[in-house]
mmCIF file of all heavy atoms in Angstrom:
data_model
loop_
_atom_site.group_PDB
_atom_site.id
_atom_site.type_symbol
_atom_site.label_atom_id
_atom_site.label_comp_id
_atom_site.label_asym_id
_atom_site.label_seq_id
_atom_site.Cartn_x
_atom_site.Cartn_y
_atom_site.Cartn_z
ATOM 1 N N LEU A 778 9.008 13.249 -27.628
ATOM 2 C CA LEU A 778 8.799 13.191 -29.078
ATOM 3 C C LEU A 778 7.319 13.207 -29.448
ATOM 4 O O LEU A 778 6.935 13.815 -30.473
ATOM 5 C CB LEU A 778 9.470 11.924 -29.622
ATOM 6 C CG LEU A 778 11.015 11.889 -29.555
ATOM 7 C CD1 LEU A 778 11.533 10.552 -30.052
ATOM 8 C CD2 LEU A 778 11.606 13.042 -30.362
ATOM 9 N N VAL A 813 0.694 -4.912 -19.249
ATOM 10 C CA VAL A 813 1.134 -3.962 -20.282
ATOM 11 C C VAL A 813 -0.037 -3.147 -20.818
ATOM 12 O O VAL A 813 0.057 -1.927 -20.990
ATOM 13 C CB VAL A 813 1.868 -4.691 -21.430
ATOM 14 C CG1 VAL A 813 2.207 -3.753 -22.550
ATOM 15 C CG2 VAL A 813 3.140 -5.357 -20.892
ATOM 16 N N GLY A 814 -1.167 -3.824 -21.051
ATOM 17 C CA GLY A 814 -2.340 -3.114 -21.554
ATOM 18 C C GLY A 814 -2.851 -2.085 -20.558
ATOM 19 O O GLY A 814 -3.261 -1.000 -20.942
ATOM 20 N N ALA A 821 -2.509 6.521 -21.573
ATOM 21 C CA ALA A 821 -3.226 7.243 -22.624
ATOM 22 C C ALA A 821 -4.377 8.062 -22.042
ATOM 23 O O ALA A 821 -4.582 9.233 -22.430
ATOM 24 C CB ALA A 821 -3.748 6.262 -23.641
ATOM 25 N N ALA A 833 -7.965 24.869 -18.185
ATOM 26 C CA ALA A 833 -8.970 25.040 -17.118
ATOM 27 C C ALA A 833 -8.347 25.784 -15.956
ATOM 28 O O ALA A 833 -7.191 26.151 -15.958
ATOM 29 C CB ALA A 833 -9.517 23.691 -16.701
ATOM 30 N N THR A 873 22.609 -25.904 -12.649
ATOM 31 C CA THR A 873 22.314 -27.295 -12.418
ATOM 32 C C THR A 873 22.789 -27.682 -11.039
ATOM 33 O O THR A 873 23.544 -26.962 -10.402
ATOM 34 C CB THR A 873 22.951 -28.211 -13.498
ATOM 35 O OG1 THR A 873 24.375 -28.001 -13.471
ATOM 36 C CG2 THR A 873 22.419 -27.861 -14.867
ATOM 37 N N ARG A 877 19.941 -25.464 -7.595
ATOM 38 C CA ARG A 877 18.713 -25.085 -8.306
ATOM 39 C C ARG A 877 17.505 -25.233 -7.366
ATOM 40 O O ARG A 877 16.646 -24.315 -7.271
ATOM 41 C CB ARG A 877 18.537 -25.924 -9.532
ATOM 42 C CG ARG A 877 17.173 -25.784 -10.184
ATOM 43 C CD ARG A 877 17.046 -26.584 -11.474
ATOM 44 N NE ARG A 877 17.816 -25.957 -12.550
ATOM 45 C CZ ARG A 877 17.779 -26.379 -13.807
ATOM 46 N NH1 ARG A 877 17.019 -27.468 -14.136
ATOM 47 N NH2 ARG A 877 18.471 -25.779 -14.729
ATOM 48 N N SER A 879 17.521 -25.300 -4.112
ATOM 49 C CA SER A 879 17.643 -24.359 -3.003
ATOM 50 C C SER A 879 17.179 -22.986 -3.410
ATOM 51 O O SER A 879 16.451 -22.291 -2.675
ATOM 52 C CB SER A 879 19.080 -24.306 -2.511
ATOM 53 O OG SER A 879 19.522 -25.566 -2.038
ATOM 54 N N GLY A 883 14.141 -20.746 -2.016
ATOM 55 C CA GLY A 883 14.298 -19.369 -1.560
ATOM 56 C C GLY A 883 13.342 -18.420 -2.257
ATOM 57 O O GLY A 883 12.808 -17.497 -1.611
ATOM 58 N N ALA A 884 13.111 -18.622 -3.550
ATOM 59 C CA ALA A 884 12.165 -17.771 -4.264
ATOM 60 C C ALA A 884 10.757 -17.963 -3.732
ATOM 61 O O ALA A 884 10.002 -16.983 -3.554
ATOM 62 C CB ALA A 884 12.219 -18.074 -5.760
ATOM 63 N N ARG A 929 33.183 -25.458 -22.030
ATOM 64 C CA ARG A 929 32.842 -26.751 -22.614
ATOM 65 C C ARG A 929 32.555 -26.619 -24.101
ATOM 66 O O ARG A 929 32.904 -27.496 -24.900
ATOM 67 C CB ARG A 929 31.640 -27.337 -21.880
ATOM 68 C CG ARG A 929 31.892 -27.685 -20.425
ATOM 69 C CD ARG A 929 30.729 -28.473 -19.869
ATOM 70 N NE ARG A 929 30.816 -28.574 -18.421
ATOM 71 C CZ ARG A 929 30.123 -27.853 -17.574
ATOM 72 N NH1 ARG A 929 29.246 -26.948 -18.033
ATOM 73 N NH2 ARG A 929 30.239 -27.997 -16.282
ATOM 74 N N GLY A 947 44.411 -21.593 -21.147
ATOM 75 C CA GLY A 947 43.180 -22.024 -21.806
ATOM 76 C C GLY A 947 43.264 -23.366 -22.458
ATOM 77 O O GLY A 947 42.341 -23.799 -23.160
ATOM 78 N N GLN A 953 41.492 -29.329 -17.503
ATOM 79 C CA GLN A 953 41.301 -30.530 -16.736
ATOM 80 C C GLN A 953 41.999 -30.462 -15.386
ATOM 81 O O GLN A 953 41.488 -30.962 -14.373
ATOM 82 C CB GLN A 953 41.872 -31.727 -17.515
ATOM 83 C CG GLN A 953 41.079 -32.038 -18.792
ATOM 84 C CD GLN A 953 41.727 -33.134 -19.614
ATOM 85 O OE1 GLN A 953 42.767 -33.662 -19.216
ATOM 86 N NE2 GLN A 953 41.095 -33.488 -20.714
ATOM 87 N N VAL A 959 37.467 -26.028 -9.502
ATOM 88 C CA VAL A 959 36.183 -25.433 -9.852
ATOM 89 C C VAL A 959 35.048 -26.198 -9.211
ATOM 90 O O VAL A 959 34.094 -25.604 -8.692
ATOM 91 C CB VAL A 959 36.029 -25.412 -11.402
ATOM 92 C CG1 VAL A 959 34.646 -24.964 -11.769
ATOM 93 C CG2 VAL A 959 37.090 -24.497 -12.011
ATOM 94 N N ALA A 961 35.163 -27.846 -6.468
ATOM 95 C CA ALA A 961 35.188 -27.540 -5.046
ATOM 96 C C ALA A 961 34.502 -26.192 -4.768
ATOM 97 O O ALA A 961 33.761 -26.063 -3.788
ATOM 98 C CB ALA A 961 36.621 -27.524 -4.536
ATOM 99 N N ARG A 969 26.631 -22.908 0.639
ATOM 100 C CA ARG A 969 26.316 -21.610 1.252
ATOM 101 C C ARG A 969 24.917 -21.140 0.855
ATOM 102 O O ARG A 969 24.216 -20.553 1.676
ATOM 103 C CB ARG A 969 27.338 -20.573 0.793
ATOM 104 C CG ARG A 969 28.752 -20.837 1.289
ATOM 105 C CD ARG A 969 28.843 -20.703 2.795
ATOM 106 N NE ARG A 969 28.638 -19.350 3.225
ATOM 107 C CZ ARG A 969 28.528 -18.965 4.504
ATOM 108 N NH1 ARG A 969 28.515 -19.891 5.443
ATOM 109 N NH2 ARG A 969 28.350 -17.703 4.814
ATOM 110 N N ALA A 989 1.345 -16.630 15.577
ATOM 111 C CA ALA A 989 0.210 -17.548 15.736
ATOM 112 C C ALA A 989 -0.036 -17.799 17.210
ATOM 113 O O ALA A 989 -1.189 -17.906 17.657
ATOM 114 C CB ALA A 989 0.484 -18.841 14.983
ATOM 115 N N GLN A 1003 -18.396 -16.023 25.614
ATOM 116 C CA GLN A 1003 -18.807 -17.092 26.500
ATOM 117 C C GLN A 1003 -19.577 -16.538 27.703
ATOM 118 O O GLN A 1003 -20.566 -17.121 28.161
ATOM 119 C CB GLN A 1003 -17.578 -17.875 26.961
ATOM 120 C CG GLN A 1003 -16.951 -18.726 25.887
ATOM 121 C CD GLN A 1003 -15.699 -19.421 26.358
ATOM 122 O OE1 GLN A 1003 -15.063 -18.988 27.350
ATOM 123 N NE2 GLN A 1003 -15.267 -20.460 25.645
ATOM 124 N N SER A 1008 -24.789 -15.741 30.452
ATOM 125 C CA SER A 1008 -25.806 -14.848 30.979
ATOM 126 C C SER A 1008 -27.141 -15.042 30.294
ATOM 127 O O SER A 1008 -28.216 -15.086 30.954
ATOM 128 C CB SER A 1008 -25.341 -13.391 30.869
ATOM 129 O OG SER A 1008 -24.124 -13.187 31.548
ATOM 130 N N THR A 1015 -34.326 -18.822 33.749
ATOM 131 C CA THR A 1015 -35.174 -18.147 34.722
ATOM 132 C C THR A 1015 -36.558 -17.880 34.193
ATOM 133 O O THR A 1015 -37.567 -18.083 34.870
ATOM 134 C CB THR A 1015 -34.527 -16.837 35.197
ATOM 135 O OG1 THR A 1015 -33.195 -17.106 35.675
ATOM 136 C CG2 THR A 1015 -35.346 -16.163 36.254
ATOM 137 N N VAL A 1020 -42.440 -19.330 33.990
ATOM 138 C CA VAL A 1020 -43.636 -19.702 33.253
ATOM 139 C C VAL A 1020 -44.214 -21.012 33.790
ATOM 140 O O VAL A 1020 -45.388 -21.211 33.938
ATOM 141 C CB VAL A 1020 -43.303 -19.844 31.737
ATOM 142 C CG1 VAL A 1020 -44.481 -20.405 30.972
ATOM 143 C CG2 VAL A 1020 -42.924 -18.498 31.173
#
Side-chain angles (χ1 to χ4, degrees):
L778 293 176
V813 174
T873 58
R877 169 177 287 186
S879 298
R929 295 190 191 101
Q953 293 176 359
V959 173
R969 294 295 292 173
Q1003 289 176 341
S1008 300
T1015 305
V1020 172

